[in-house]
Amino acid sequence: MATTAKNPFQHIVEPLDPDDPKQQFFNLSKLRDSRYERLPFSIRVLLESAVRNCDGFLVKSSDVESILNWKQTQTQTVEVPFRPARVILQDFTGVPAVVDFAAMRDAVMKLGGDPEKINPVCPADLVIDHSIQVDFNRKSDSVQKNQDLEFDRNRERFQFLKWGSKAFRNMRIIPPGSGIVHQVNLEYLARVVFNYDGFFYPDSLVGTDSHTTMIDGLGVLGWGVGGIEAEAVMLGQPISMVLPEVVGYKLHGTPEQLITSTDIVLTVTKHLRQVGVVGKFVEFFGPGVAQLSIADRATIANMCPEYGATAAFFPVDHVSIQYLAQTGRDAEKLDYITKYLKAVGMFRDYTDVSQDPDFTQVVELDLSTVVPCCSGPKRPQDRIAVSDMKIDFEACLGAKQGFKGFQVAPEHHNTAVPFQFNGNEYTLSHGSVVIAAITSCTNTSNPSVMLGAGLLAKKAIECGLSVKPYIKTSLSPGSGVVTYYLKESGVMDYLSQLGFEVVGYGCMTCIGNSGPLPEPVVEAITQGDLVAAGILSGNRNFEGRVHPNTRANYLASPPLVIAYAIAGTVRIDFEKEPIATNSEGKEIFLRDIWPTRAEIQAVERVFVIPSMFKEIYEKIEKVNERWNSLVAPSDKLYTWDPESTYIKSPPFFDGLTMKLPPPESITDAFVLLNLGDSVTTDHISPAGNIARNSSAARHLTSRGLTPRDYNSYGSRRGNDAVMARGTFANIRLFNKFLNKQAPQTIHLPTGETLDVFDAAERYQQSSVPLLILAGKEYGSGSSRDWAAKGPFLLGIKAVIAESYERIHRSNLVGMGVIPLEYLPGVTADSLGLTGRERYTITIPKQLTPRMLVDVQLDTGKTFQVRMRFDTDVELAYFHHGGILNYMIRKMSEN
């Protein structure tokens, strides 16, 4: 991807190796501009892309100047284009993307264009990792049974994806059972430097998953975008972005021997949340970085969405090259990667302060101050030292309902419920652990914490410890390499003995695919109205995400997951209380079985070796026999099956013409939902199981399905009829109209309490526009295009919020839903809004980015809000009715 014919920077093109003149690169040092050497390394990647793709149209010389002049332009809301080298998708977001592409081909054909113009022009990799669930656990055949069920449930989706891999060029599918998208990206897909079409250039990407940032730990600039925006990139559109501020995060000091990378990332997450980095890049530097492995850096970069930044960048250094060698990349690639990055000034020595660039601001962390910790019970940024877990949980029990409160009456704090399981009696109480999952690429990509968990399991077994059989334990590695080194090092048997059998290769519990709990456990939790706990090595623990019956969920390192599973409760102080008493009556403390960093590193050096990675990844695209034998159609246009409940042609492009409609004001709108702070995309568009009493369930039942066939919302993202009904269907949604948690709202004209979809349908039958009122951080959490598509289908024209999560705002723009923002210091409460008013929002014919518009209520009150179309490109998308409409009209021209 290099533009040379009209490129004004053609004069800086030269061969990387004089003996091979056909392999060239844009040598940025030949710009002879002193500003380049002071740019953050992450901004240098944006600059290289702008220089290489400069065509005077999509990317202009003025854009290159804006990036070079970053020190001045970073605070001026300057818009620049960025063309990533590639796109990565997972199947929950990938299926709707391929559905959109198929529907766009139909739409282009109807408008007289060439449907094959709808085709990825840059490499796109789709990893199927979100479909597998923990239906079986604790048995050696759990992984095979779960994979068989995954295929049976999702055959139709998989068949559709296989069609897409044939129908579209530049699209590669990594089959189910291969691993988690971000770990596969790190260990296999990442190029670090592209060698393509005669040019070397930095690897960079956007992905349809917010944790795409994990790849930043390897020095590959990447971040999550909405599925809609990713589709535009795949079709050749640059991302239009506001040039970000870059926070320099300086690491120094040495971690204590018992500290894990998870402890470090949870500390960083809380710190950067306090600093405030939303919409900014974070770039790590300082001597402490040199002490971190690539797996450690990737763990920190993975949780970038949890601290709110756009990217969390670790420039490439010698440790990065060592990792590429360890993971089986060949020597020739390592040679040109190193040579190229040094030639363009993108190779870092973290111990050389003369290389430290300019930053917007600098914050620091002394690694020696990090202590063992978890995060929870409802948000990843709420870090708790392990030594404080017991008192913190007990404080949360009685605290007012909120992020740190469950509002349990004091007289019920010690409620205990006995129950029978497998012929034995057990007792559950508040804080009892019922799910313990080693899951998520955040941690399973890191040999140090995975081997640490294995060594802890070994010591626990040798001390005679066990995990209660009703606790749902699971191990879902991010790639086959993990299982390989756990077995070779001899610790897998000990993990199995504690119940941590491999259950599958996918996201699983981290995204809510935790599967059912034993019925006696559910009955005991319900009977006692207990705040049961889940412990997982994941990156998200929003309420209602992990499992409907675990109201408290804590993020922890894999060794701590096992420790809390053995203890059976989070109401324990590991420093003062024994983790358990063995069969001989001896008290065992956590410190007795906790492995040191030196012990772990000794095992890692011997057993995590390049041949493992080569063996696993050489066959990754061919190893799944059921995928290989799957037959898919080969037509360029998809033949939609009207009987399908998984794949359906969406209505987004119905009635689309080449003529642009003028912008219209929103008149006399009702408020569908009145929401508070931190409404997540899980609240808006759940990924988990479909409740039997929901609108989506009623629809599926009407199509002849039984509850066992419902599958999950995530698996049905290719069907708008299910997804529209699933919008705002989360049982933990708190709607101020009802003053309680429920997936319902009040139909204001009649006063009836209805499921959200049913109320929206009533409004649409009356042709009434709808709004949503919200507080801070609306749309935080996972990147989900259905969190914008669903509201669009419900008839929501605009959202008025105090602030937005970056990706979700972009997705709303992409669907033509107007994101409106209260002015600073103004809230719904300060304006006295109840949500029961009717709202008229005046949309002028001439729009400018971030302009103010008037909102008038039927009560006579008027106030102003900011229209969060941040760039001219976003305004163009809005005029077209969304980014996909824009692309269809563009592809249908001539």
Side-chain angles (χ1 to χ4, degrees):
M1 286 170 57
T3 303
T4 54
K6 306 173 187 175
N7 194 317
F9 299 97
Q10 178 66 30
H11 63 284
I12 67 169
V13 172
E14 62 180 46
L16 184 63
D17 182 347
D19 294 331
D20 189 3
K22 292 183 179 180
Q23 297 288 91
Q24 300 178 306
F25 74 111
F26 283 79
N27 189 349
L28 299 183
S29 65
K30 294 291 179 71
L31 290 171
R32 308 204 186 285
D33 194 313
S34 59
R35 292 174 296 178
Y36 178 67
E37 294 178 359
R38 304 306 308 155
L39 289 177
F41 283 64
S42 52
I43 300 298
R44 296 179 199 187
V45 178
L46 300 184
L47 178 68
E48 192 283 336
S49 174
V51 167
R52 176 168 38 89
N53 291 294
C54 190
D55 60 358
F57 177 58
L58 288 174
V59 184
K60 302 174 182 175
S61 296
S62 57
D63 297 317
V64 172
E65 173 57 25
S66 293
I67 300 171
L68 261 174
N69 201 31
W70 171 84
K71 195 165 184 180
Q72 275 64 50
T73 53
Q74 58 172 310
T75 57
Q76 297 173 4
T77 321
V78 172
E79 176 189 352
V80 295
F82 174 52
R83 293 192 70 174
R86 58 190 175 100
V87 174
I88 196 163
L89 311 98
Q90 37 88 340
D91 56 303
F92 269 15
T93 50
V95 167
V98 179
V99 166
D100 286 346
F101 274 14
M104 289 170 76
R105 278 192 170 180
D106 292 344
V108 168
M109 191 168 183
K110 286 175 185 175
L111 292 175
D114 177 5
E116 289 203 46
K117 281 188 176 180
I118 301 295
N119 203 84
V121 296
C122 69
D125 296 300
L126 192 157
V127 181
I128 301 175
D129 68 348
H130 272 51
S131 300
I132 191 166
Q133 301 183 36
V134 191
D135 290 285
F136 298 93
N137 67 311
R138 284 185 174 257
K139 298 284 176 63
S140 59
D141 61 352
S142 295
V143 61
Q144 189 59 54
K145 285 184 173 180
N146 288 327
Q147 287 178 344
D148 287 345
L149 257 182
E150 173 194 24
F151 221 93
D152 292 343
R153 284 172 175 148
N154 297 282
R155 173 181 293 275
E156 197 177 327
R157 295 172 64 244
F158 293 170
Q159 215 161 16
F160 176 70
L161 287 175
K162 197 157 190 183
W163 167 81
S165 68
K166 294 179 179 179
F168 299 107
R169 297 185 303 277
N170 274 333
M171 180 177 283
R172 171 170 51 178
I173 307 283
I174 304 297
S178 303
I180 302 174
V181 56
H182 307 306
Q183 188 162 339
V184 174
N185 193 18
L186 191 72
E187 295 175 353
Y188 175 60
L189 299 175
R191 284 74 155 178
V192 183
V193 169
F194 258 82
N195 179 5
Y196 181 76
D197 202 20
F199 278 87
F200 294 104
Y201 51 94
D203 187 5
S204 61
L205 70 151
V206 291
T208 57
D209 189 284
S210 50
H211 294 103
T212 299
T213 52
M214 185 170 182
I215 202 64
D216 291 342
L218 185 56
V220 176
L221 185 63
W223 61 86
V225 296
I228 304 156
E229 196 172 3
E231 290 166 34
V233 172
M234 290 163 72
L235 294 173
Q237 285 292 108
I239 284 177
S240 178
M241 62 184 292
V242 173
L243 198 60
E245 297 180 9
V246 182
V247 175
Y249 199 89
K250 186 174 185 179
L251 296 174
H252 56 88
T254 303
E256 296 293 330
Q257 272 289 307
L258 302 182
I259 296 302
T260 68
S261 58
T262 317
D263 301 319
I264 296 171
V265 71
L266 296 180
T267 302
V268 169
T269 298
K270 183 175 182 178
H271 185 198
L272 285 174
R273 270 284 174 184
Q274 293 168 337
V275 170
V277 292
V278 173
K280 302 175 184 179
F281 284 2
V282 174
E283 186 167 309
F284 292 83
F285 74 111
V289 177
Q291 298 185 49
L292 299 178
S293 68
I294 293 303
D296 290 342
R297 298 176 196 180
T299 298
I300 295 169
N302 178 285
M303 286 192 72
C304 176
E306 282 64 54
Y307 40 86
T310 300
F313 194 61
F314 289 83
V316 173
D317 70 341
H318 72 283
V319 177
S320 316
I321 303 301
Q322 288 169 0
Y323 175 83
L324 293 173
Q326 182 190 39
T327 50
R329 272 71 165 206
D330 61 58
E332 182 187 347
K333 287 182 181 177
L334 303 190
D335 181 58
Y336 72 64
I337 288 170
T338 305
K339 193 177 291 184
Y340 169 79
L341 292 175
K342 286 183 175 179
V344 292
M346 294 189 198
F347 196 90
R348 189 74 162 93
D349 179 354
Y350 287 100
T351 62
D352 183 356
V353 294
S354 70
Q355 285 191 12
D356 292 351
D358 293 331
F359 294 111
T360 308
Q361 70 177 115
V362 171
V363 292
E364 299 187 19
L365 175 67
D366 181 348
L367 293 171
S368 68
T369 65
V370 175
V371 298
C373 55
C374 300
S375 280
K378 301 182 187 182
R379 296 192 304 181
Q381 64 261 41
D382 293 328
R383 185 188 71 90
I384 316 137
V386 169
S387 57
D388 295 333
M389 269 285 280
K390 182 177 182 178
I391 57 173
D392 187 86
F393 177 82
E394 291 175 348
C396 289
L397 266 186
K400 183 181 176 183
Q401 183 72 39
F403 299 125
K404 294 287 285 185
F406 297 103
Q407 208 162 330
V408 175
E411 62 269 23
H412 297 307
H413 283 198
N414 294 313
T415 297
V417 181
F419 69 100
Q420 293 281 325
F421 183 77
N422 288 349
N424 294 307
E425 184 167 299
Y426 301 93
T427 301
L428 287 185
S429 55
H430 294 297
S432 289
V433 173
V434 295
I435 289 177
I438 299 176
T439 182
S440 168
C441 53
T442 308
N443 285 291
T444 67
S445 62
N446 195 327
S448 68
V449 290
M450 296 303 289
L451 289 168
L455 291 171
L456 184 140
K458 179 176 185 291
K459 293 184 178 188
I461 292 295
E462 290 169 348
C463 287
L465 304 184
S466 62
V467 175
K468 293 180 178 68
Y470 62 80
I471 295 175
K472 187 156 193 181
T473 49
S474 61
L475 167 58
S476 48
S479 80
V481 174
V482 180
T483 307
Y484 203 148
Y485 66 66
L486 290 177
K487 285 182 176 177
E488 289 294 308
S489 62
V491 297
M492 190 68 236
D493 285 345
Y494 299 101
L495 289 163
S496 299
Q497 288 179 61
L498 289 179
F500 289 90
E501 288 278 6
V502 173
V503 294
Y505 297 92
C507 297
M508 303 189 88
T509 300
C510 187
I511 58 163
N513 286 358
S514 48
L517 288 174
E519 199 57 42
V521 172
V522 174
E523 290 172 359
I525 292 170
T526 305
Q527 181 186 332
D529 194 21
L530 298 177
V531 180
I535 300 286
L536 64 153
S537 63
N539 46 43
R540 293 265 164 85
N541 55 342
F542 302 126
E543 194 170 12
R545 178 185 176 95
V546 174
H547 194 281
N549 295 113
T550 57
R551 288 158 65 189
N553 295 285
Y554 292 92
L555 307 182
S557 66
L560 275 177
V561 169
I562 296 176
Y564 279 108
I566 293 169
T569 180
V570 296
R571 295 173 84 171
I572 183 172
D573 182 342
F574 283 131
E575 293 186 3
K576 298 176 183 176
E577 302 173 58
I579 188 172
T581 302
N582 67 16
S583 58
E584 298 173 0
K586 182 182 178 183
E587 291 185 342
I588 307 295
F589 286 81
L590 181 57
R591 57 180 170 268
D592 298 328
I593 59 173
W594 194 270
T596 65
R597 189 175 271 250
E599 286 178 86
I600 296 166
Q601 288 172 344
V603 176
E604 184 177 350
R605 276 193 295 271
V606 176
F607 292 104
V608 184
I609 54 178
S611 60
M612 289 183 176
F613 292 88
K614 284 184 176 177
E615 184 177 335
I616 292 295
Y617 283 113
E618 276 175 356
K619 57 190 179 184
I620 191 169
E621 293 176 50
K622 304 292 183 186
V623 75
N624 190 316
E625 290 301 327
R626 292 192 70 174
W627 175 265
N628 295 342
S629 61
L630 194 63
V631 177
S634 55
D635 303 333
K636 296 300 181 183
L637 293 177
Y638 188 70
T639 304
W640 305 96
D641 178 2
E643 298 303 312
S644 173
T645 57
Y646 279 102
I647 306 298
K648 178 178 175 291
S649 181
F652 306 135
F653 316 123
D654 291 354
L656 185 69
T657 66
M658 291 297 289
K659 185 178 179 183
L660 252 62
E664 295 182 356
S665 295
I666 300 169
T667 305
D668 285 336
F670 277 108
V671 173
L672 181 63
L673 290 159
N674 188 1
L675 306 172
D677 293 343
S678 295
V679 173
T680 71
T681 52
D682 281 299
H683 291 116
I684 304 168
S685 182
N689 291 332
I690 297 171
R692 296 187 181 195
N693 60 348
S694 64
S695 294
R698 291 193 289 275
H699 170 75
L700 291 171
T701 300
S702 74
R703 300 296 302 272
L705 274 67
T706 60
R708 65 171 296 178
D709 299 318
Y710 290 168
N711 211 332
S712 65
Y713 283 113
S715 68
R716 293 193 179 274
R717 286 183 183 165
N719 188 314
D720 63 272
V722 175
M723 295 310 296
R725 287 166 172 81
T727 303
F728 296 109
N730 191 312
I731 60 171
R732 300 298 180 192
L733 179 74
F734 188 89
N735 182 2
K736 293 180 183 179
F737 284 155
L738 304 176
N739 201 31
K740 67 175 184 179
Q741 291 181 334
Q744 297 177 315
T745 194
I746 293 175
H747 180 250
L748 295 174
T750 62
E752 290 180 76
T753 299
L754 301 170
D755 284 351
V756 174
F757 174 81
D758 298 334
E761 194 172 44
R762 287 259 194 105
Y763 284 120
Q764 286 186 306
Q765 287 166 357
S766 304
S767 300
V768 175
L770 296 172
L771 303 177
I772 289 172
L773 300 184
K776 299 181 184 70
E777 299 176 347
Y778 180 72
S780 57
S782 300
S783 161
R784 287 195 186 152
D785 54 348
W786 269 110
K789 289 175 176 176
F792 170 82
L793 291 177
L794 295 186
I796 291 162
K797 302 299 182 186
V799 179
I800 308 178
E802 291 177 52
S803 64
Y804 293 88
E805 193 277 338
R806 176 185 61 84
I807 299 175
H808 184 62
R809 185 199 64 80
S810 171
N811 273 336
L812 290 174
V813 172
M815 285 308 298
V817 178
I818 306 174
L820 301 170
E821 197 167 270
Y822 296 109
L823 300 185
V826 178
T827 66
D829 289 341
S830 71
L831 290 168
L833 305 182
T834 66
R836 295 176 181 269
E837 310 87 353
R838 299 194 73 169
Y839 292 67
T840 295
I841 301 167
T842 304
I843 309 295
K845 300 299 180 190
Q846 296 296 318
L847 300 176
T848 56
R850 298 179 66 87
M851 72 183 295
L852 301 181
V853 294
D854 293 326
V855 180
Q856 185 168 2
L857 310 183
D858 60 351
T859 61
K861 180 187 283 287
T862 301
F863 60 97
Q864 285 194 312
V865 291
R866 187 173 301 283
M867 188 179 281
R868 284 296 310 277
F869 297 126
D870 290 356
T871 66
D872 288 323
V873 172
E874 289 186 346
L875 280 174
Y877 295 156
F878 173 65
H879 283 300
H880 280 265
I883 191 171
L884 301 184
N885 293 0
Y886 170 87
M887 293 305 302
I888 288 170
R889 289 191 176 103
K890 182 179 176 185
M891 297 289 181
S892 302
E893 290 172 353
N894 302 320

